[in-house]
Amino acid sequence: MPDDRLDPATLADDLVNRVHALASLDALREAEASLVGRRSPFAELQRTLGALDEEERRTLGASLQEARRRVEGELEARRGLLAAEERRRALEADRLDLGDVVDAAVRLPVAVGHGGLIAATQRELEDVFVAMGFTVEEGPEVESDWYNFEALNMPPAHPARGLWDTFYVDLGDPETVVLRTHTSPTQIHLMERATATDGLPIHSVMPGRCYRRDTPDARHLVAFHQIEGLVVAEGITFADLAGTIESFTTAYFGPSITSRLRPGFFPFTEPSAEFEVTCTVCGGGGCRTCSMTGWVELGGCGMVDPAVLTAVGIDPERYHGFAFGFGIDRCAMMRYEIADLRALTENDVRFVEQFS
Ligand code: DAH
């Protein structure tokens, strides 16, 4: 019978105590071989087994294996414990001192942003038209020549194309894809969809961003916003158009502002008109903003040209329509008496904060 020193159970007690005393993962890794591995007392004991008779060898072998398993189990448990502890300590070290953060926030208040003036104006305009029974639709900002020009009654090389200083996109054949120069192409999408789905009549407004190769000045931006309106139904007349424009003007600008239509030209409407509203700066008396006329032009409108209805497959004998389009930025300019539209894109907080 081996002496006490080599009794596996006693040996295991001793080794388990050593495992419990390990203070770090590094220490554990270092001690591993001498506790259960090649340099451990178990390995040493194992080597003595050969000298024993079979009976003793079997008994000792079994208790040796059990003792080693016990130490291995304790070692793994200790490894898990130390790993968790080290992780907790690392997280603790990384943690921000909340006290500092709160102090900094008190010293330096974080500015909370808000929607921009144009987005807010667009939403208000949509609300006005929705209250009048219109739906709100959107169209793409990149258009083919067909939507931006041709279907709107401007065949290639038509001189009216010159009214819109166009940005061409480098896609497809040269000069066939454009950044839309107005929201009117969305009318075409809507009418095509209506034709395909039996979706007439149409009562919709279509807000969105447009682009023109313009030199920015007090009243023009390279990227600007329009809202388009389209009604296509049976029995629509110019009086419906004029009434809609006047209702919108009063609803958006208030009862002291009125609208007027002046003869104009657009290839996609016949007859066409430009629509103007009382100058909000001088109330109609005449000032620099309205060039002393008392009126400011907001946009264009007219009865949808039969050629446009035909291009999208709508029977112009049966259906009539009116359309209009005007600048959202221009509306904000009039409503808030902004002297220079470029202020909308400069992000000067002294300007922006006035519209929170
Ligand atoms: N698309 C025109 C422009 O940007 C404005 C316009 C005129 C829209 C007449 C219309 C319209 O729908 O009928 O200058």
Side-chain angles (χ1 to χ4, degrees), residues 30-316:
E30 221 168 277
E32 204 167 350
S34 62
L35 291 170
V36 291
R38 279 175 295 107
R39 283 182 278 119
S40 69
F42 291 125
E44 207 175 294
L45 206 53
Q46 185 89 26
R47 283 190 288 273
T48 67
L49 287 183
L52 302 176
D53 64 38
E54 171 142 15
E55 176 71 41
E56 279 180 331
R57 193 162 61 225
R58 199 172 302 129
T59 325
L60 187 61
S63 55
L64 193 59
Q65 198 173 17
E66 191 197 313
R68 190 204 292 259
R69 286 225 184 91
R70 207 179 117 215
V71 178
E72 279 171 352
E74 289 292 334
L75 194 71
E76 285 320 305
R78 185 76 188 158
R79 194 196 306 277
L81 195 84
L82 288 172
E85 209 163 278
E86 287 187 14
R87 190 175 143 69
R88 191 187 53 73
R89 237 179 277 131
L91 287 176
E92 184 74 19
D94 279 354
R95 210 185 95 209
L96 276 178
D97 185 332
L98 211 55
D100 286 352
V101 176
V102 172
D103 282 353
V106 171
R107 279 197 303 274
L108 231 183
V110 178
V112 177
H114 57 83
L117 176 59
I118 294 306
T121 304
Q122 176 175 325
R123 223 166 297 128
E124 266 183 76
L125 292 170
E126 289 173 4
D127 285 348
V128 167
F129 283 107
V130 166
M132 291 165 68
F134 287 75
T135 62
V136 179
E137 305 280 349
E138 284 187 344
E141 290 178 21
V142 178
E143 287 284 16
S144 68
D145 186 87
W146 162 260
Y147 287 100
N148 199 77
F149 292 120
E150 198 159 350
L152 288 163
N153 206 21
M154 282 176 278
H158 191 287
R161 290 185 178 216
L163 290 174
W164 293 276
D165 306 283
T166 312
F167 279 120
Y168 291 95
V169 177
D170 200 4
L171 277 176
D173 290 337
E175 303 196 358
T176 54
V177 181
V178 305
L179 292 183
R180 67 176 173 193
T181 59
H182 48 180
T183 41
S184 300
T186 310
Q187 288 184 29
I188 303 299
H189 287 286
L190 244 57
M191 287 190 279
E192 283 182 343
R193 199 173 71 199
T195 314
T197 60
D198 219 5
L200 290 171
I202 295 171
H203 304 86
S204 298
V205 287
M206 298 143 263
R209 193 180 287 130
C210 309
Y211 304 84
R212 285 188 203 171
R213 223 179 118 259
D214 243 348
T215 305
D217 64 23
R219 281 140 72 88
H220 298 90
L221 296 174
V222 169
F224 58 101
H225 302 79
Q226 286 191 338
I227 185 160
E228 192 81 11
L230 176 70
V231 171
V232 179
E234 292 182 52
I236 292 294
T237 72
F238 201 91
D240 297 311
L241 168 60
T244 303
I245 299 276
E246 181 59 22
S247 306
F248 149 73
T249 305
T250 318
Y252 182 71
F253 291 105
S256 65
I257 304 295
T258 184
S259 66
R260 74 172 185 182
L261 300 179
R262 293 203 310 154
F265 172 77
F266 295 99
F268 31 93
T269 40
E270 181 58 37
S272 302
E274 284 170 4
F275 84 87
E276 302 182 330
V277 295
T278 320
C279 177
T280 54
V281 178
C282 61
C287 67
R288 282 205 0 235
T289 302
C290 59
S291 312
M292 304 311 290
T293 63
W295 296 94
V296 173
E297 190 195 324
L298 262 198
C301 60
M303 301 305 291
V304 181
D305 196 293
V308 174
L309 295 175
T310 306
V312 294
I314 294 176
D315 177 4

